[in-house]
Amino acid sequence: MKVLVTGGAGFIGSHIVDELVTTGHDVVVIDDLDPAAHSGLPQGLSSDASYVWGDVRDAQVLTDALVGVDAVCHQAAKVGLGVDFADVSEYVSRNCGGTASMLRALHDVSFAGRIVLASSMVVYGEGRYRCPEHGVVRPGARRLDDLDAGRFEPPCPTCGGPLDSESVPEDHWLIPRNVYATTKLTQEGLCEAYEREHPGCSVTSLRYHNVYGPRMPRDTPYAGVASLFRSAYERGDAPRVFEDGGQRRDFVHVRDIAAANVLALTNEAPASGALNICSGVAHTILEMAEALRPDGAPAPQVVGGYRLGDIRHVHASPERAEKVLGFRAEIGFEQGMTEFKTAALRATVGPLPHTLR
C-alpha cells in the first residue's frame, strides 16, 4: 500500500513512517520543516521513504504527492499552547487551512481511501468529573481569581463541592479551551465532512494523549512538557512545575502512537470515528517530573502559577481503541520514562533542503 504521511519528518510522523516502511509499505512524506520546530534537516529520517519538502497548503505539492496514494496519514500541524494569543493566525492557517487544502486536493482526485487524522485529547477541554451528589457534571472554565489564589481544582457547578476526575470516553462533550484545541476540533469536523460526502472513504481521528519519546523537540514553546523537563535536567536545573503538580494526564509513548496509526491504516475493517490513543493509566505532572529525574539532579520545583488556556485533569479510557483497532499501549510509564531519560531528542544533520530556504 502507498501511504502519504503529512508532517512525516516531525516527532510523531517520523515514527509512523518508520513503522510503515518496516511493515513493507511505500511511504511518501510531505513536510515543510516549520522553523518554529526545526532548525535544519532532522536526524533519524527513514531512507526508505520518499520526501517532498513543501507545505500542505500548496496545492501543487499535494497534487504531485498524491499520485498513486491509497491512504493518507495527516500529522502535519502546529502543536502545543504556543507563546500567546498572537499565534492564533498561524495555528488556524497551518491546522485548519492545511487540512482544508489537503481535503480539497483529495476531492480533486476523487480519493475514497482511508484518512487517519492526528487529533488530540485537547478537544475535550476539561476532562470528565463526577460530583458525589450530582453525578457527572460539566465544570466551567477555571476562574482567574481561583487560580490566583491557588485553588486549582474545578468545583461542582451546582453545589461548589469537590469533584473526582474520571477517564474520558470518546462520546464525552467537546469544549476546547484554547486556540490549539479549537483547531484540532475543526480538523476533526473537516475530515468528517469529507467522509460524509465521499462514499467509500473512512476517517479515523486518533485523539493522542500526552505523547513522549525519542526525537521530541527541545527548548521550544511548542515542545511537550516531558521534553521541557528533560531539557531542564540536562542544563542542571530543577524543572518548574506549575500549579501544585497534581494535574493528571495520560502519558503514552510515541512508538505506541505509531502502532495505533498503522493499525488504523491497515486493519481489515476501517475504523471510522474518534479513538482515544492512551495508556489508560493517569499520572500527575509532578510524578512525571520525578520519573525523569536523573540521579543527583535537583528535585522538581513546584512553583504554583498557571498557564492560561490549560486545564486541570484529562485522562482517558482506551476501551474503544482496543475493541475497534485491537490497540493497547505496550510501553508502561516506568519503562517509557526510564528510556526517555537518555533517549535522543531532536537533532539536525544538515541545513534545510534548498526548496525550503
Side-chain angles (χ1 to χ4, degrees):
M1 180 169 69
K2 185 174 183 178
V3 183
L4 170 64
V5 182
T6 70
F11 164 45
I12 295 173
S14 64
H15 284 274
I16 295 169
V17 170
D18 287 349
E19 185 77 8
L20 284 167
V21 298
T22 297
T23 50
H25 298 285
D26 185 10
V27 178
V28 59
V29 169
I30 295 177
D31 204 303
D32 72 346
L33 299 179
D34 179 8
H38 297 274
S39 59
L41 185 69
Q43 189 176 47
L45 299 184
S46 173
S47 59
D48 294 318
S50 299
Y51 291 86
V52 177
W53 302 118
D55 196 319
V56 293
R57 293 169 291 185
D58 185 322
Q60 191 60 55
V61 167
L62 284 161
T63 298
D64 293 345
L66 282 170
V67 175
V69 163
D70 302 299
V72 175
C73 186
H74 185 38
Q75 305 294 314
K78 192 176 187 70
V79 302
L81 281 179
V83 177
D84 58 30
F85 196 81
D87 282 335
V88 61
S89 297
E90 188 72 0
Y91 272 103
V92 172
S93 177
R94 286 188 170 274
N95 297 359
C96 305
T99 300
S101 296
M102 181 195 73
L103 294 173
R104 170 59 194 271
L106 293 176
H107 172 75
D108 288 345
V109 297
S110 301
F111 178 83
R114 295 188 193 185
I115 301 172
V116 177
L117 171 68
S119 187
S120 170
M121 55 86 176
V122 296
V123 300
Y124 297 118
E126 283 290 345
R128 183 179 178 90
Y129 293 88
R130 183 177 297 274
C131 173
E133 182 177 353
H134 297 101
V136 174
V137 295
R138 187 169 74 181
R142 295 192 292 172
R143 301 186 308 177
L144 291 182
D145 57 343
D146 284 335
L147 294 171
D148 287 337
R151 296 187 295 267
F152 301 118
E153 294 287 345
C156 175
T158 302
C159 68
L163 300 173
D164 296 319
S165 68
E166 297 183 340
S167 294
V168 180
E170 286 83 356
D171 60 359
H172 195 65
W173 51 68
L174 307 177
I175 311 177
R177 299 290 195 191
N178 55 58
V179 169
Y180 171 59
T182 302
T183 65
K184 297 310 287 185
L185 185 56
T186 300
Q187 284 184 298
E188 286 194 17
L190 291 170
C191 289
E192 289 165 5
Y194 184 93
E195 180 183 36
R196 285 192 295 272
E197 297 189 25
H198 296 80
C201 177
S202 68
V203 171
T204 310
S205 294
L206 300 182
R207 291 176 181 162
Y208 304 159
H209 285 253
N210 283 63
V211 188
Y212 70 98
R215 302 180 200 157
M216 285 191 84
R218 66 171 81 222
D219 300 326
T220 161
Y222 310 98
V225 65
S227 175
L228 295 175
F229 286 177
R230 224 203 76 175
S231 294
Y233 283 129
E234 288 181 348
R235 295 191 303 269
D237 297 335
R240 292 167 51 85
V241 180
F242 288 137
E243 302 186 19
D244 59 2
Q247 311 94 304
R248 285 192 286 277
R249 299 289 189 272
D250 187 313
F251 297 96
V252 58
H253 197 280
V254 68
R255 289 199 298 272
D256 282 323
I257 294 287
N261 274 271
V262 174
L263 284 171
L265 289 164
T266 62
N267 264 9
E268 183 175 354
S272 183
L275 297 172
N276 286 321
I277 304 301
C278 59
S279 72
V281 181
H283 292 274
T284 69
I285 298 293
L286 184 55
E287 285 174 336
M288 189 267 288
E290 290 283 7
L292 289 177
R293 183 182 177 189
D295 292 342
Q301 182 181 5
V302 178
V303 298
Y306 53 88
R307 296 189 302 171
L308 288 173
D310 211 346
I311 54 89
R312 180 62 176 175
H313 304 302
V314 60
H315 47 96
S317 166
E319 292 181 5
R320 185 167 189 262
E322 184 171 21
K323 179 180 179 181
V324 174
L325 287 185
F327 169 79
R328 193 84 187 189
E330 295 184 355
I331 302 172
F333 180 80
E334 290 186 5
Q335 175 192 348
M337 290 295 170
T338 298
E339 174 198 291
F340 186 57
K341 285 182 182 182
T342 57
L345 297 181
R346 177 171 293 161
T348 61
V349 292
L352 291 170
H354 73 276
T355 55
L356 298 177
R357 295 176 200 165

